[in-house]
């Protein structure tokens, strides 16, 4: 009789015996459940079982179906050694089948796993042990003295780069010699010496990973590479050192070292490019995290103390000085200031904050010291929610180059089975030389099945497309953007910095008679101000010479004042002038203004008024018309207020306008479009756009915008030129078409060559290719893929 294991599941909300009886009645019939009972003091369900893995999931489902929540723990842990999307699926599947794990989701882009588990059944060490079975690993110890996650990943990337460089140093001579001096008697020994380091040292990871996966009944691209290149190398080595095996039967002992060394070098190069892209993805999230300070000043009675951000609790009073970033979400309880909230709204104009107003993590205090009471800290802050949105959205994308991994689970075993069938068929039905011909045919099948063309199909097209884009000011970061941009249905545009210039300018000025004589005082005052609108006035008055003003003073949220020749002048909001009783005869002419208004006055009268706004880019209208004519639905999505958004909408003719939205609301808007079966592209330039951009099918960043937006983006317009968007769409269509052509020819090559290699047509036409011809055909398929990709360079966009 099998030994029974005792299982304890902590369950909340068990209030009485009736609840216990209901649970026991529902789990007792489940296969493998023995002696179920309830521990009332610990709120635990117990049972014995001979197979934890078989009974665990049905028991959990039964308890949850009854409405009783399971006491579990959730962790977000870094995953190491994943090289493809299939690796992420393997880790996720393996963790889900661990007894005690309730759910697991692996984010391949950020190389992390969200896992929910029952601590009484499995701990982090148990999770790590499970992933190591397949050659992966979890980082569970970040204590002092242990290498950090960044250090581990940096070391892994450096090792990959070293292996790639080393592989190409040896593989290039193999490729050249294999095509030029094949008839020399010594060449096979030299090719072996050059290929061995590539296969046994630099490409070792493929064979180790494939072996671990096959032991657990799983395959991926590593399996495909290992089987084809490993057998090609072994076959060639046997023919090099034991040629008499073939000579005695009248066969030539051909070698196929290039089929192993060059393929491994190409695959390593592709892995290196992919790791670089993943590093950029991770850096976007790291940059967001850096917006939160590591330390804060906490007010305790009449004293203050500096604390680490991780030690701050809800309800603590935080003092934020001028120039500091705000570290928590909270409410101002003392003081007033101007806050730069551009990371939330995208708008450059700071927002006045006073007692009772809310402030958010990552925003910048520009003027004065304030005390805030924290309401949300750590993972609950608004910034943390943006980071989570970006991580989740990035992990949900499946680039076109993952197609090879998706089909490898079928392709690899299929090729091995076809090869075995070929060997056996020739052996039993091929006559006198049947077994020898069967061995050659089986080897030929594996050589032609080598995934070189398949591996090159996407990277070569992407490389050429990226180069062409870069020459036109379009930086393409990954295949996902190219895959989706070619068939977008909706384009969502941020306003500030995307449709508009992104900086305020004076668009209108009205002056009283004789006011020109006082403009030097206005320019001098604005030169001493650090308000964002001051720059617009200074640029507007660039031909005016300043004077020396005295007794400069700023009233937060209202304006500035100074004296010249004992005369007082003020610059600020018209409402401030009204409060001071200053006469304003110019105000009525600005009643319909949509921009920000500034008044310049002496002690009794307003001398001039200016309207400052962010103007539409010169080429925006033409570009938007081109996009509309292509059948793309346009939307404006902005954190700016409704008046400014509606003005830009009227100027551009865009009917769909959403304003006054925060970053998470932008992401929700994108998700709502996607849920309607739309393919959505988001164009933005600020931190506040990053969550929406990560959620979109395609993200496009302005090159002059924030680094975080560019790191999240699939595509960056280097000169912030909106007219490049139609060009990027045309380039996307051309590149996607080339990728599809490459994949088509790569698969057609296999479909045609495999039956020929297996000898299917030999009884009819007496035609069959040998491994040498198969190697040449494989090389030709790779060359054809490269040449087809190079055609992109000559196409106009």
């Amino acid at each position: 009789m099998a030994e029974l294991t005792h299982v304890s599941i902590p369950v909340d909300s068990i209030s009485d015996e009736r609840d216990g009886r209901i649970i026991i009645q529902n789990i007792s019939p489940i296969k493998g459940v023995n002696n179920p009972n309830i521990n009332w003091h610990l709120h635990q369900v117990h049972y014995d079982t001979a197979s934890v893995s078989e009974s665990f999931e049905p028991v959990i489902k039964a308890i949850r179906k009854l409405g009783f929540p399971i006491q579990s723990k959730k962790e977000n842990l870094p995953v190491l050694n994943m090289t493809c999307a299939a690796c992420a699926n393997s880790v996720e599947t393996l963790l889900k089948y661990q007894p005690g794990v309730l759910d697991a989701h692996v984010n391949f882009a950020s190389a992390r796993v969200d896992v929910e588990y029952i601590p009484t059944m499995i701990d982090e060490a148990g999770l790590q042990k499970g992933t190591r079975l397949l050659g992966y690993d979890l980082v569970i110890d970040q204590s002092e003295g242990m290498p950090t996650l960044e250090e581990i990943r940096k070391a892994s990337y450096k090792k990959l780069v070293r292996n790639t460089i080393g592989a190409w140093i040896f593989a290039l001579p193999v490729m050249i010699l294999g095509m030029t001096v094949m008839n020399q008697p010594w060449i096979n020994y030299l090719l072996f010496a050059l290929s061995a380091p590539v296969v046994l040292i630099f490409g070792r990871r493929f064979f180790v990973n494939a072996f671990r996966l096959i032991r657990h009944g799983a395959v991926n691209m590593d399996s495909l590479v290992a089987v084809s290149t490993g057998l090609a190398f072994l076959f060639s080595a046997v023919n090099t050192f034991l040629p008499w095996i073939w000579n005695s039967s009248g066969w030539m002992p051909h070698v196929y070292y290039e089929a192993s060394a060059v393929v491994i070098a190409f695959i390593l190069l592709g892995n290196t490019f992919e790791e670089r892209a993943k590093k950029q993805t991770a850096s976007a999230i790291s940059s967001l995290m850096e917006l939160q300070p590591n330390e804060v000043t906490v007010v305790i009675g009449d004293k203050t103390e500096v604390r680490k951000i991780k030690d701050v609790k809800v309800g603590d009073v935080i003092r934020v000085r001028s120039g500091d970033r705000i570290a928590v979400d909270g409410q101002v309880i003392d003081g007033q200031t101007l806050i730069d909230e551009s990371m939330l709204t995208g708008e450059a104009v700071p927002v006045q904050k006073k007692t009772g107003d809310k402030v958010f993590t990552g925003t910048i205090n520009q003027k004065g010291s304030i005390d805030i009471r924290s309401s949300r800290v750590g993972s609950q802050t608004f910034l943390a929610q943006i980071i989570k949105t970006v991580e989740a959205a990035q992990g949900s994308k499946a680039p076109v180059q993952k197609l090879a991994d998706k089909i490898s689970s079928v392709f690899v075993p299929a090729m091995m089975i076809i090869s075995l069938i070929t060997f056996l068929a020739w052996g039993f039905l091929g006559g006198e030389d049947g077994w020898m011909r069967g061995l050659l045919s089986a080897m030929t099948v594996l050589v032609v099945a080598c995934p070189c063309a398949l591996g090159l199909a996407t990277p070569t097209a992407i490389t050429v497309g990226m180069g062409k884009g870069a020459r036109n000011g379009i930086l393409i970061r990954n295949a996902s953007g190219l895959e989706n941009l070619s068939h977008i249905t909706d384009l969502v545009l941020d306003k500030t910095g995307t449709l508009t210039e992104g900086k305020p300018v004076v668009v209108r000025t009205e002056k009283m008679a004789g006011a020109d004589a006082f403009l030097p005082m206005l320019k001098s005052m604005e030169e001493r101000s650090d308000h964002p609108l001051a720059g617009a006035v200074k640029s507007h008055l660039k031909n005016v010479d300043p004077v020396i003003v005295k007794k400069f003073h700023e009233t937060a949220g209202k304006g500035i004042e100074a004296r010249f020749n004992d005369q007082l002048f003020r610059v600020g909001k018209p409402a401030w002038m009204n409060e001071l009783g200053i006469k304003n005869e110019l105000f009525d002419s600005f009643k319909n203004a949509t921009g920000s208004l500034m008044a310049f006055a002496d002690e009794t009268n307003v001398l001039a008024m200016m309207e400052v706004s962010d103007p539409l880019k010169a080429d925006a209208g033409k570009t938007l018309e081109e996009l509309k004519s292509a059948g793309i639905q346009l939307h404006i999505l902005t954190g700016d207020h409704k008046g400014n958004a509606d003005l830009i909408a009227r100027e551009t003719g865009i009917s769909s306008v959403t304003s006054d939205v925060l970053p998470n609301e932008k992401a929700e808007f994108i998700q709502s479009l996607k849920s309607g079966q739309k393919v959505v592209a988001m164009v933005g330039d600020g931190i506040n756009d990053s969550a929406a951009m990560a959620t979109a099918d395609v993200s496009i960043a302005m090159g002059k915008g924030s680094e975080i937006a560019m790191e999240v983006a699939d595509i960056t317009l280097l000169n912030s030129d909106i007219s490049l968007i139609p060009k990027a769409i045309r380039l996307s269509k051309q590149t996607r078409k080339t990728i599809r052509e490459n994949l088509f020819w790569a698969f057609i090559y296999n479909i045609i060559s495999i039956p020929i290699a297996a000898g299917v047509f030999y009884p009819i036409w007496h035609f069959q290719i040998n491994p040498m011809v198969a190697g040449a055909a494989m090389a030709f398929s790779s060359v054809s893929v490269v040449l087809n990709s190079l055609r992109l360079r000559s196409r106009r966009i």
Side-chain angles (χ1 to χ4, degrees):
M1 184 176 177
E3 185 177 343
L4 297 180
T5 301
H6 187 70
V7 178
S8 299
I9 301 175
V11 180
D12 281 331
S13 305
I14 303 178
S15 57
D16 52 35
E17 287 189 27
R18 180 177 173 275
D19 290 342
R21 285 197 302 271
I22 291 173
I23 292 174
I24 291 173
Q25 287 172 4
N26 278 270
I27 69 172
S28 294
I30 295 173
K31 183 179 179 181
V33 172
N34 298 284
N35 309 318
N37 61 88
I38 304 291
N39 185 318
W40 300 101
H41 299 292
L42 298 178
H43 291 275
Q44 291 180 343
V45 174
H46 298 286
Y47 68 92
D48 299 322
T49 181
S51 175
V52 179
S53 58
E54 183 180 357
S55 63
F56 178 70
E57 187 176 355
V59 168
I60 294 297
K61 283 184 176 179
I63 294 173
R64 282 181 163 171
K65 190 175 181 180
L66 293 171
F68 295 101
I70 306 296
Q71 294 178 19
S72 62
K73 187 176 181 181
K74 294 181 179 180
E75 295 282 358
N76 181 268
L77 301 171
V79 186
L80 303 178
N81 305 330
M82 293 193 300
T83 60
C84 60
C87 296
N89 292 333
S90 296
V91 174
E92 189 171 298
T93 302
L94 186 143
L95 285 174
K96 284 181 176 179
Y97 278 93
Q98 292 289 313
V101 175
L102 300 175
D103 195 19
H105 173 68
V106 176
N107 184 322
F108 179 61
S110 62
R112 302 183 75 91
V113 59
D114 285 306
V115 59
E116 182 184 3
Y117 62 95
I118 299 175
T120 57
M121 295 186 65
I122 191 169
D123 57 11
E124 291 181 354
L127 298 172
Q128 184 186 57
K129 183 179 179 182
T131 57
R132 285 178 173 176
L133 291 173
L134 295 183
Y136 308 107
D137 204 352
L138 296 181
V139 180
I140 62 173
D141 189 353
Q142 290 284 279
S143 57
E144 193 171 342
M146 297 295 291
T148 65
L149 174 62
E150 184 63 27
E151 289 171 343
I152 293 171
R153 286 181 173 163
K154 191 176 289 185
S156 176
Y157 178 70
K158 285 182 177 179
K159 183 179 180 181
L160 176 59
V161 171
R162 286 197 302 269
N163 285 342
T164 302
I165 294 171
W168 276 105
I169 288 173
F170 286 92
L172 277 175
V174 171
M175 185 164 58
I176 295 169
L177 293 172
M179 292 187 296
T180 55
V181 290
M182 279 301 296
N183 295 324
Q184 297 298 322
W186 45 266
I187 190 64
N188 288 357
Y189 299 99
L190 179 58
L191 292 176
F192 172 81
L194 291 170
S195 300
V198 179
V199 176
L200 303 178
I201 299 174
F202 304 118
R204 179 177 178 270
R205 56 181 288 189
F206 297 114
F207 299 94
V208 172
N209 291 344
F211 177 71
R212 285 172 174 162
L213 286 166
I214 289 171
R215 280 176 57 200
H216 293 85
V219 291
N220 67 353
M221 191 69 169
D222 288 349
S223 311
L224 197 61
V225 174
V227 170
S228 55
T229 59
L231 286 173
F233 178 77
L234 285 174
F235 186 80
S236 300
V238 169
N239 288 358
T240 299
F241 295 101
L242 302 172
W244 54 266
I245 294 177
W246 299 98
N247 291 333
S248 61
S249 301
W251 295 84
M252 284 292 292
H254 296 297
V255 296
Y256 313 99
Y257 289 114
E258 66 277 7
S260 56
V262 176
V263 168
I264 287 176
F266 268 122
I267 301 299
L268 283 172
L269 183 63
N271 288 165
T272 303
F273 286 146
E274 186 170 319
E275 283 301 311
R276 284 188 63 185
K278 283 169 65 179
K279 281 179 66 179
Q280 291 174 339
T281 296
S283 69
I285 296 167
S286 299
S287 299
L288 281 170
M289 291 177 175
E290 288 169 6
L291 293 177
Q292 184 179 51
N294 294 319
E295 295 180 335
V296 296
T297 301
V298 179
V299 180
I300 306 172
D302 296 331
K303 298 180 181 179
T304 62
E305 69 174 41
V306 176
R307 287 185 192 171
K308 295 285 186 183
I309 187 63
K310 65 179 182 180
D311 297 325
V312 176
K313 299 179 177 61
V314 172
D316 285 347
V317 177
I318 313 297
R319 179 156 294 165
V320 186
R321 295 181 175 86
S322 180
D324 289 348
R325 282 194 183 273
I326 295 173
V328 297
D329 293 353
Q331 191 173 44
V332 178
I333 60 172
D334 186 36
Q336 61 178 358
T337 186
L338 292 174
I339 300 287
D340 176 1
E341 293 189 339
S342 58
M343 64 152 286
L344 296 178
T345 65
E347 304 309 311
V349 180
V351 180
Q352 184 178 5
K353 298 288 184 179
K354 58 185 184 300
T355 302
D357 290 340
K358 292 181 179 180
V359 292
F360 298 95
T361 308
T363 56
I364 303 171
N365 179 25
Q366 288 195 335
K367 285 285 182 182
S369 176
I370 56 171
D371 289 349
I372 62 175
R373 189 179 302 281
S374 60
S375 59
R376 289 186 294 186
V377 299
S379 62
Q380 301 304 311
T381 65
F382 200 74
L383 177 62
Q385 301 307 312
I386 295 175
I387 293 171
K388 287 179 182 178
T389 302
V390 172
E391 284 183 329
Q394 286 179 334
S396 67
K397 293 181 178 177
V400 67
Q401 62 260 42
K402 308 305 179 200
L403 181 60
D405 285 308
K406 292 178 181 178
I407 61 96
S408 65
S409 60
V410 176
F411 188 65
V412 176
M415 290 305 100
M416 296 176 71
I417 291 170
I418 290 173
S419 178
L420 179 62
I421 291 173
T422 300
F423 175 67
L424 295 175
W426 275 104
F428 288 112
L429 306 174
E432 185 179 349
D433 295 329
W435 291 107
M436 189 66 70
R437 189 179 291 276
L439 184 58
L440 274 175
S441 298
M443 186 65 230
T444 304
V445 168
L446 290 172
V447 170
V448 298
C450 206
C452 192
L454 192 60
L456 287 171
T458 295
T460 53
I462 293 298
T463 301
V464 176
M466 283 180 173
K468 189 175 183 66
R471 288 193 296 273
N472 286 273
I474 304 165
L475 180 63
I476 302 164
R477 205 187 81 185
N478 57 42
S480 174
L482 285 174
E483 170 73 6
N484 294 319
L485 185 61
S486 59
H487 51 270
I488 61 168
T489 60
D490 290 65
L491 183 67
V492 181
L493 301 124
D494 175 48
K495 181 183 74 68
T496 307
T498 301
L499 288 172
T500 66
E501 293 293 347
K503 58 181 181 180
V505 297
V506 176
V507 294
R508 183 184 169 201
T509 304
E510 295 288 342
K511 294 175 287 189
M512 298 291 287
D516 287 344
F518 300 102
L519 294 182
M521 281 72 88
L522 172 60
K523 183 170 184 180
S524 301
M525 294 169 70
E526 294 292 14
E527 283 185 341
R528 294 187 63 175
S529 172
D530 56 5
H531 194 282
L533 299 186
V537 178
K538 285 186 287 185
S539 298
H540 184 66
L541 299 176
K542 61 184 177 182
N543 295 323
V544 175
D545 295 324
V547 294
I548 298 174
V549 295
K550 298 180 179 179
K551 296 185 179 180
F552 180 88
H553 175 71
E554 181 169 352
T555 302
K558 294 185 177 181
I560 55 177
E561 60 183 37
R563 288 186 176 273
F564 179 74
N565 291 339
D566 291 328
Q567 187 174 359
L568 180 65
F569 294 93
R570 293 184 175 93
V571 184
K573 294 180 177 180
W576 187 40
M577 305 301 170
N578 188 50
E579 286 177 21
L580 297 172
I582 296 173
K583 189 177 180 181
N584 189 349
E585 296 181 7
L586 301 173
F587 184 74
D588 286 345
S589 61
F590 286 87
K591 279 186 175 179
N592 296 322
T594 56
S596 299
L597 298 181
M598 298 174 63
F600 171 52
D602 59 18
E603 295 183 65
T604 57
N605 293 287
V606 170
L607 303 174
M609 279 192 64
M610 292 154 286
E611 181 182 357
V612 180
S613 67
D614 186 8
L616 191 69
K617 288 182 177 178
D619 53 359
K622 181 181 176 182
T623 299
L624 297 176
E625 283 301 320
E626 186 176 352
L627 292 168
K628 287 179 187 176
S629 64
I632 297 172
Q633 179 69 39
L634 303 179
H635 309 263
I636 293 177
L637 185 64
T638 177
D640 201 359
H641 62 76
K642 190 175 187 300
N644 285 348
D646 288 344
L647 175 65
I648 295 298
R650 287 195 296 271
E651 291 183 33
T652 57
I654 297 176
S655 57
S656 174
V657 186
T658 306
S659 57
D660 295 300
V661 287
L662 293 172
N664 64 321
E665 294 171 331
K666 285 190 172 187
E668 289 168 3
F669 179 85
I670 299 293
Q671 190 59 52
S672 68
L673 288 178
K674 290 174 64 177
S675 63
Q677 305 304 310
K678 302 289 185 71
V679 181
V680 184
M682 170 73 191
V683 189
D685 71 328
I687 297 170
N688 64 308
D689 300 318
S690 58
M693 291 169 68
T695 305
D697 296 298
V698 187
S699 50
I700 303 173
M702 293 289 151
K704 295 179 182 177
S706 74
E707 289 186 8
I708 294 174
M710 286 185 278
E711 287 165 352
V712 168
D714 301 311
I715 297 167
T716 299
L717 308 181
L718 296 178
N719 298 319
S720 294
D721 184 356
I722 194 173
S723 66
L724 292 175
I725 295 177
K727 283 189 174 182
I729 293 173
R730 288 193 290 271
L731 177 61
S732 167
K733 290 181 178 179
Q734 292 174 5
T735 307
R736 181 172 174 264
K737 180 182 177 184
T738 301
I739 292 171
R740 298 301 180 188
E741 289 172 352
N742 288 349
L743 290 172
F744 171 78
W745 288 114
F747 282 114
I748 283 294
Y749 156 78
N750 277 301
I751 291 170
I752 294 174
S753 59
I754 287 172
I756 296 175
V760 172
F761 303 112
Y762 186 82
I764 304 171
W765 297 316
H766 294 281
F767 172 72
Q768 185 182 16
I769 58 174
N770 60 31
M772 184 176 68
V773 175
M778 183 201 71
F780 175 75
S781 71
S782 301
V783 171
S784 66
V785 162
V786 173
L787 292 176
N788 189 52
S789 296
L790 290 174
R791 290 171 56 224
L792 261 176
R793 299 172 66 180
S794 60
R795 295 178 182 173
R796 292 186 62 184
I797 60 171

